[in-house]
């Protein structure tokens, strides 16, 4: 334990300034042990947060996270870092609000700076009809006790002087929906912070350990087959995000999931230009954008548009995203793109998450996070840990159980129908 | 994936086409057809449309791990 990083504080950081060997690994490298109370498959945000809460809130001593690659390889390190709770359906906004509140205090809870920045999230409207939709969503949120503000052009000019809404545009900007507490959180720090905090509580974080099969006996899971051998487990949690579909296949359980790509890109750094997170639908296309602390514009759009496991983003989508960015802020036209990447997403049939039991009494799924599960990490970790430790799902995630597809209680946030690509 | 071969228009950039849906591949009636899929990383059966071209509807089999098109034909028509 002593070789690990100590608790951070102002004095410890001051000490770090003068000591050569202050900086230590955040978690130990380890091989899997023979047996655990809980094996969490997948070392992304959701797996790490679930393991952390199992250890901290439920006192479980023998917990491991088995990660196929390295911590941060998956979507937790590929997303555009936006956090918000501006959803329409109560099941969704209550859950994401719980998550946003946890993000507000996460740096302190993990003793790790995750750089939560409440810079606001604005969805721009192109037409009066869209304003009506935003008013509906904003009102739903306010009735649920969550902050939302409908901005007209004047309000937008005041909140975002950097955007000129009066500029002639093919898709004019008439207003927007603002959530001031929304913003960004440094994604890598979330993965590292949870990994470090979980390891400090005794959780084994095992990298380069792929789970290749679930072993069962008498109708319950007894462990997992991995690239580092068999690991016995009392309970198994699958938190593999973009690989949820393959897990269904591995267990012989068809799931309401398809695997789709989402891409993102970042420009070269420039001086402060955009102080908030802004998203803009123009025609069929969309762009959303924020500026990182280094100054790069981080941008993304909609899914690539068809099932894919390749992680090779489509070029025409990049073009659309850039067109949208230039339509919002003409002055960015000359910027160069530094990096461009994609992640595989577990897109569900109704666009909402899948958290609950999976086929066996002691096997759980924490997935279906689609393209929006970074903001969900703190709430999902806490709620999923309660489900796994106590066997019953807290109210916050009860609606996310797989059974909704058999009973018809789907949570179709966008009203798009059973088409994962349109969710 | 950069291009698809439309039976009418020949090889065209993928952005002219739009993916519509994956086809049901699990038994269990209309509910399973609508909501559930066995997600095969090597073999996906799909409907596409050459939306910004001749608007023909297409039936495809693709390998989503490589982007390779294994089969593409006119919906209801002969293989091409
Ligand atoms: C380009 C992009 C932008 C996004 N932007 C946002 C955003 O702005 N806001 C937001 O809220 N969300 C966003 N998302 C979505 C968000 O990133 C994901 O929903 C979320 O990170 C998924 O949960 P995770 O962190 O646990 O996933 P991951 O980090 O992908 O973790 C899953 C892990 O499981 C591992 N794994 C898979 N199979 C196995 C196996 N068999 N054995 C062992 N390990 C395995 C993988 O290697 C991976 O590390 C974005 C996603 C992408 C791709
Ligand atoms: Zn054609």
């Amino acid at each position: 334990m002593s070789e690990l990083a100590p608790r951070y504080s102002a004095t410890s950081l001051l000490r770090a300034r003068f000591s050569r060997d202050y900086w230590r690994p955040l978690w130990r490298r380890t091989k899997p042990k023979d047996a655990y109370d809980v094996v969490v498959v997948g070392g992304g945000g959701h797996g790490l947060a679930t393991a952390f809460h199992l250890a901290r809130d439920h006192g479980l001593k023998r917990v491991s996270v088995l990660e196929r690659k390295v911590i941060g390889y998956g979507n937790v390190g590929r997303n555009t870092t936006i956090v918000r709770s501006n959803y329409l359906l109560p099941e969704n906004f209550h859950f994401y609000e719980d998550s946003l509140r946890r993000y507000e205090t996460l740096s302190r809870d993990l003793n790790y700076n995750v750089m939560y920045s409440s810079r606001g999230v604005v969805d721009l409207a192109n037409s009066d009809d869209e304003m009506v939709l935003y008013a509906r969503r904003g009102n739903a949120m306010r009735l649920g006790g969550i902050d939302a503000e409908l901005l007209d052009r004047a309000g937008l000019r005041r909140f975002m002087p950097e955007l000129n809404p009066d500029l002639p545009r093919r898709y004019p900007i008439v207003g927007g929906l603002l959530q001031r507490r929304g913003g960004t959180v440094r994604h890598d720090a979330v993965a590292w912070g949870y990994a470090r905090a979980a390891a400090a509580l005794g959780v084994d974080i095992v990298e380069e350990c792929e789970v290749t099969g679930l072993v069962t006996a008498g109708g319950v899971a007894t462990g997992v087959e991995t690239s580092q051998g068999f690991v016995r487990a009392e309970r198994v949690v699958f938190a593999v995000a973009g690989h949820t579909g393959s897990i269904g296949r591995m267990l012989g359980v068809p799931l309401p999931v398809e695997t789709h790509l989402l891409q993102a890109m970042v420009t070269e750094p420039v001086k402060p230009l955009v102080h908030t997170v802004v998203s803009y639908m123009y025609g069929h296309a969309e762009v959303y954008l924020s500026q990182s602390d280094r100054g790069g514009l981080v941008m993304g759009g909609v899914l690539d548009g068809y099932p894919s496991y390749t992680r090779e983003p489509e070029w025409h989508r990049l073009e659309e995203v850039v067109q949208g960015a230039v339509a919002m802020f003409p002055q960015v036209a000359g910027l160069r793109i530094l990096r461009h990447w994609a992640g595989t997403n577990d897109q569900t049939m109704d666009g909402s998450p899948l958290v609950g039991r999976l086929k066996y009494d002691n096997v759980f799924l924490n997935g279906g996070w689609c393209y929006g599960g970074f903001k969900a990490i703190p709430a999902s970790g806490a709620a999923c840990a309660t489900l796994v430790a106590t066997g019953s799902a807290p109210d916050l995630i009860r609606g996310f159980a797989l059974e909704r597809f058999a009973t018809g209680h789907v949570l179709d946030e966008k009203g798009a129908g059973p088409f994962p690509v349109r969710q | 994936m950069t291009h698809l071969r439309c039976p009418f228009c020949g090889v065209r950039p993928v952005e002219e086409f739009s993916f519509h849906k994956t086809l049901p591949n699990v038994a269990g009636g209309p509910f399973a057809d609508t909501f559930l899929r066995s997600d095969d990383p090597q073999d996906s059966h799909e409907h596409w449309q050459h939306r910004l071209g001749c608007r023909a509807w297409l039936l495809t089999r693709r390998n989503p791990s490589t982007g390779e098109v294994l089969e593409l034909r006119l919906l209801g028509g002969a293989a091409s």
Side-chain angles (χ1 to χ4, degrees):
Chain A
M1 235 17 187
S2 58
E3 82 277 14
L4 288 184
R7 251 194 101 69
Y8 299 137
S9 64
T11 34
S12 85
L13 291 182
L14 193 66
R15 201 172 319 131
R17 168 68 184 78
F18 299 103
S19 103
R20 206 174 288 168
D21 62 347
Y22 176 84
W23 296 107
R24 303 279 169 80
L26 300 186
W27 59 88
R28 334 168 255 291
R29 291 200 169 278
T30 156
K31 301 258 167 237
K33 297 198 184 78
D34 294 341
Y36 290 99
D37 295 335
V38 183
V39 162
V40 180
V41 184
H46 290 272
L48 293 166
T50 301
F52 167 73
H53 283 282
L54 282 167
R56 193 194 71 173
D57 305 349
H58 303 280
L60 290 178
K61 294 277 174 278
R62 304 185 318 152
V63 177
S64 69
V65 176
L66 308 184
E67 165 55 44
R68 186 171 77 107
K69 303 270 188 176
V70 291
I71 297 301
Y73 177 84
N75 288 352
V76 72
R78 292 167 192 260
N79 64 72
T80 41
T81 78
I82 300 165
V83 298
R84 55 187 174 85
S85 61
N86 55 0
Y87 282 72
L88 172 71
L89 301 179
E91 289 86 346
N92 282 332
F93 65 60
H94 284 312
F95 173 78
Y96 287 106
E97 176 62 13
D98 181 82
S99 215
L100 189 54
R101 294 220 175 125
R102 288 174 188 271
Y103 263 131
E104 287 171 349
T105 60
L106 193 64
S107 295
R108 208 165 304 155
D109 294 341
L110 297 181
N111 181 235
Y112 199 85
N113 186 3
V114 299
M115 298 165 70
Y116 164 60
S117 154
S118 57
R119 60 183 67 184
V121 171
V122 198
D123 291 335
L124 300 179
N126 299 148
S127 64
D128 296 342
D129 304 315
E130 213 176 343
M131 286 296 276
V132 174
L133 287 177
Y134 284 165
R136 178 182 178 222
R137 175 147 58 102
N139 285 338
M141 292 165 60
R142 291 175 74 125
L143 287 171
I146 300 169
D147 62 306
E149 286 165 59
L150 198 63
L151 302 178
D152 58 9
R153 268 197 192 177
L156 209 51
R157 252 182 251 120
R158 259 195 312 279
F159 176 69
M160 265 189 95
E162 65 266 45
L163 177 84
N164 179 356
D166 308 315
L167 215 62
R169 289 180 175 89
R170 185 170 177 192
Y171 297 96
I173 295 170
V174 302
L177 183 66
L178 165 65
Q179 184 177 31
R180 287 185 195 266
R181 291 159 54 245
T184 58
V185 175
R186 186 179 175 205
H187 54 359
D188 293 327
V190 170
W192 300 335
Y194 273 114
R196 168 174 175 269
L201 293 167
V203 172
D204 281 352
I205 290 165
V206 187
E207 293 171 278
E208 294 172 346
C209 180
E210 178 169 5
V211 170
T212 53
L214 183 76
V215 182
T216 62
V220 290
T222 53
V224 289
E225 220 46 87
T226 81
S227 54
Q228 300 193 27
F230 174 69
V231 180
R232 194 186 312 281
E234 300 288 326
R235 278 159 281 185
V236 179
V237 185
F238 287 100
V240 296
H243 287 74
T244 300
S246 336
I247 296 300
R249 204 172 164 76
M250 187 170 101
L251 268 62
V253 195
L255 292 174
V257 168
E258 280 175 15
T259 307
H260 287 265
L261 292 189
L262 184 70
Q263 57 175 282
M265 63 210 73
V266 62
T267 68
E268 59 191 319
V270 287
K271 287 189 176 165
L273 175 70
V274 190
H275 84 286
T276 184
V277 179
V278 56
S279 96
Y280 175 50
M281 290 287 297
Y282 60 107
H284 285 292
E286 185 183 9
V287 58
Y288 63 87
L289 174 159
S290 68
Q291 190 166 17
S292 78
D293 292 325
R294 270 187 67 213
L297 297 181
V298 181
M299 308 188 278
V302 296
L303 296 170
D304 270 13
Y306 54 86
S308 176
Y309 277 86
T310 61
R311 294 208 177 93
E312 285 164 17
E314 282 290 352
W315 288 102
H316 66 89
R317 190 68 78 216
L318 178 146
E319 211 175 342
E320 271 175 23
V321 167
V322 169
Q323 281 169 1
V326 172
M328 269 196 297
F329 303 104
Q331 65 269 46
V332 307
L335 292 185
R336 279 164 295 194
I337 289 177
L338 282 190
R339 284 180 292 124
H340 174 220
W341 65 93
T344 53
N345 295 312
D346 38 345
Q347 287 294 125
T348 62
M349 286 284 176
D350 64 356
S352 295
L354 308 172
V355 189
R357 283 204 165 70
L358 182 62
K359 188 169 179 182
Y360 303 97
D361 215 37
N362 62 342
V363 177
F364 302 87
L365 177 63
N366 174 342
W369 295 110
C370 300
Y371 51 75
F374 174 68
K375 68 175 96 67
I377 289 169
S380 144
C384 182
T386 303
L387 166 66
V388 173
T390 67
S392 86
D395 286 344
L396 211 53
I397 56 165
R398 202 155 281 165
F400 297 162
L402 277 166
E403 287 76 40
R404 71 178 183 271
F405 292 95
T407 60
H409 295 87
V410 292
L411 299 172
D412 191 344
E413 173 77 24
K414 285 198 179 164
F419 299 98
V421 71
R422 293 187 213 154
Q423 293 293 349
Chain B
M1 218 166 74
T2 56
H3 293 82
L4 285 174
R5 180 186 295 276
C6 171
F8 294 119
C9 313
V11 175
R12 304 293 306 165
V14 70
E15 61 261 39
E16 290 185 4
F17 298 81
S18 54
F19 164 84
H20 179 57
K21 64 171 187 178
T22 55
L23 299 183
N25 62 356
V26 288
F31 236 52
D33 281 4
T34 308
F35 289 127
L36 304 180
R37 297 288 181 271
S38 173
D39 193 21
D40 188 337
Q42 255 82 52
D43 191 5
S44 179
H45 296 230
E46 303 159 352
H47 284 174
W48 286 69
Q49 189 188 18
H50 191 190
R51 195 165 58 88
L52 303 180
C54 66
R55 304 185 65 82
W57 280 91
L58 310 170
L59 189 74
T60 63
R61 262 186 64 213
R62 290 185 317 109
N63 179 338
S65 298
T66 61
E68 190 193 352
V69 178
L70 307 169
E71 197 185 331
L72 187 154
R73 58 191 167 85
L74 213 53
L75 196 59
S80 85

